[in-house]
Amino acid sequence: MTITIGERRNGVQVSRPAAFAPAETYDVIVVGLGTAGALAAIAAAERGLRVLGIERLNAMGGTGTLGAVVGYYFGNKGGLFEEIDQEVQRLSGAAAYTKAGGVNADLKKLALERRALAAGVELRYECTAVGVYLEHNEVRGLRWIGPNGPDEAGCRIAIDCTGDAEIAAMAGASYRKGRELDGKAQPFSNALVWINDGAVHTFYTDSGYVDVEDAEDYARAVLESACVHTHQPERFEERRKFVKLAPLLGVREGRFIEGERQVTFADFLDDKETEEPIFYAYSNVDNHGKDMAFESENQRDWIVAASLWGLNFSVPVPLGALLPKGVGRLLVAGRALAVDHDLAPCVRMKRDMQKCGEAAGLAAALAIETGVPLTRLPYESLKPRLLEKGCLLAANHKGMRDGQPSMDEAMPSIRWLRDEADIQSGLDGEKPGLAIWSAKRLGGAMLPSLRAWAAQTERVHLRRHSAFALALLGDEAALPALRETMRERDGFFPKTSRKYNQARGYAAIYLLGKLGDETVVPELIDILRSREAFKNVSTDVEFINHDDEYFFQYFTFALRALFQIADRHPAERERVITAAREIVDEPSFALHVTMKPSKDVNFDMADTIRGVVRRQAEAWSTSQRQRENRVAARPGGSDVTE
């Protein structure tokens, strides 16, 4: 047989012929024993498989142990991880162990390792995978470097739980990173551990952005984030004794594989979902970035126009989202599965990623037991195994679709509105998001009423929120109300979500750009130049912590709206790009935002803004050259209106 080894060298995937005669062969090799990988290894081994687990650090559990993120945010209950957590709780009652907030990280490492060893998992710590052996694009084994030097082993199936699809990338699988506009991922965080009153606690600070493929950038992120004042104050106090920095960065987003099935925000919004889920994810679109103006249109519609950042919903994830296209005998579990950037903030919670790992382990076991390739596993055979321990629960499918039950115990039931009177009432209040999106879902049937409500002048909420709904439907009857909202710099922040709502003033700017309103181009350019006008502005919004941050929102929404308008009106492009360059190319240009949860850890967004301007200029220049080439290729070089 012809064997090749796939590797990553200087950020590039390479393949070469390789001799491969491993001394050991396993049913399953799990690479990365973190949030997903620990559960994948245990689940596969408890089905009777011979399992090897490779981990570059010195313990199991990943973000939930070594990463010091010990609490649960959202995600669904049920599954093997709950048994582990119950064992941690039992151990926590013993006097020998230090008390801790959340799930005790050290005890969870212990509980995971005990369960893994009892199931027969062979553990290799401080080992880094450096190559994947392939035969006709099917995984046959792994190569790694550890305390004993280079090593290798064969396997029938590999499960990539590295968090960044490192094995899939080495195997040559396609993947994506970050958002469409500029490839930027969500901010990462750095957690620290401290002790007070005899109990261990944790704290994190979002610390900027990192490219997981760039070793130098990753090293910079580790060092800089460890030195922010929240982590390294001038003086440590008795009530907060420093213990350690977490040895694992809180990276929220890296690579996403191109899977046999993609799970996208666009499909969620269109009510398209799999009928064959292996688990349900559950959260809001928990985007930690503050540059929402540069996110996709779907995110801006949902979070900016409809103020729905904080609404939770469930996402059914199919097995195909764990199967990288073009590579056989390989599963990818954890946050690198085949979701898009827009939906990734929802499909990444610790509970759900533990379920993802368990589902991967069970799927691997079924494929090996039956001899059926992963891509052809019958769902009717896999589903009972998923149901057995609650990895898959019908009750986990909750949230934002018609006919579904309520959200979790702490949240009220959410239903899309159908009655016009209910929609009008919602638009006329301080929590308009549900009504705005419900009107959008009903489409053309709502246009006459929305137009009438947007034309009246006495009820400001009804007028402006109706205009938002009209804009989402692409109706220019929204323009008068949107223009007045922008001109007033309306500071109202909808109360739809529990936090991180967007001011109505710059939400209106986004919608003016969406509708391509060329009449407001001069006013938007003036906003780019009006920094002084945003001094000493008072807001009651949690994520606006200083004047610069408030101006940043108006600046970026105005900039992006100008680009959208000029896309539709090419005659405006030169004016728009010239004005933008005059401002952002100034050496002194800087705009700062704060990072969660600190109110004073600032991050300069100037380079991000400059990059957006540069890419837009290049795109328009390329478009103009292509147009000129098309004109030149026509008989007589005639120009035709396109």
Side-chain angles (χ1 to χ4, degrees), residues 388-432:
E388 184 180 354
K389 288 187 176 180
C391 181
L392 177 67
L393 290 173
N396 287 160
H397 199 10
K398 52 196 174 183
M400 291 301 300
R401 289 197 64 205
D402 294 330
Q404 286 182 358
S406 65
M407 301 163 75
D408 64 23
E409 297 87 344
M411 305 288 285
S413 176
I414 298 294
R415 295 286 190 278
W416 296 123
L417 306 177
R418 293 183 174 274
D419 184 82
E420 188 171 290
D422 291 338
I423 291 174
Q424 182 183 19
S425 177
L427 295 174
D428 201 19
E430 294 189 342
K431 299 179 179 181

Side-chain angles (χ1 to χ4, degrees), residues 281-355:
Y282 176 65
S283 182
N284 62 312
V285 182
D286 186 25
N287 190 328
H288 277 231
K290 292 191 175 179
D291 52 351
M292 281 303 306
F294 299 149
E295 295 292 351
S296 73
E297 188 169 14
N298 281 333
Q299 275 211 54
R300 285 176 288 160
D301 284 354
W302 183 260
I303 296 174
V304 179
S307 63
L308 293 177
W309 178 89
L311 285 193
N312 290 32
F313 52 88
S314 55
V315 178
V317 178
L319 180 62
L322 280 64
L323 303 178
K325 276 187 177 180
V327 182
R329 301 176 184 261
L330 178 63
L331 288 146
V332 175
R335 59 178 166 81
L337 79 171
V339 297
D340 65 355
H341 166 81
D342 287 350
L343 199 55
C346 173
V347 187
R348 64 170 175 81
M349 297 301 162
K350 284 200 308 171
R351 285 188 177 108
D352 298 333
M353 294 302 93
Q354 289 175 108
K355 285 174 174 283

Side-chain angles (χ1 to χ4, degrees), residues 182-224:
D182 58 3
K184 196 172 186 178
Q186 291 190 67
F188 74 94
S189 62
N190 193 338
L192 61 81
V193 180
W194 54 283
I195 194 165
N196 181 39
D197 291 334
V200 175
H201 305 275
T202 63
F203 171 85
Y204 80 90
T205 297
D206 284 358
S207 304
Y209 301 85
V210 64
D211 181 351
V212 298
E213 289 194 288
D214 186 329
E216 185 175 333
D217 191 51
Y218 196 94
R220 173 204 57 79
V222 170
L223 295 172
E224 290 183 359

Side-chain angles (χ1 to χ4, degrees), residues 431-484:
K431 299 179 179 181
L434 194 63
I436 290 172
W437 205 267
S438 294
K440 179 183 186 299
R441 286 171 64 89
L442 292 174
M446 285 299 303
L447 289 176
S449 295
L450 290 172
R451 289 167 181 161
W453 300 336
Q456 63 81 42
T457 57
E458 294 182 358
R459 294 157 69 179
V460 174
H461 284 336
L462 181 61
R463 172 173 169 79
R464 295 183 178 179
H465 297 151
S466 297
F468 279 25
L470 283 170
L472 291 179
L473 291 168
D475 193 290
E476 293 188 354
L479 290 176
L482 292 178
R483 290 168 184 155
E484 73 181 30

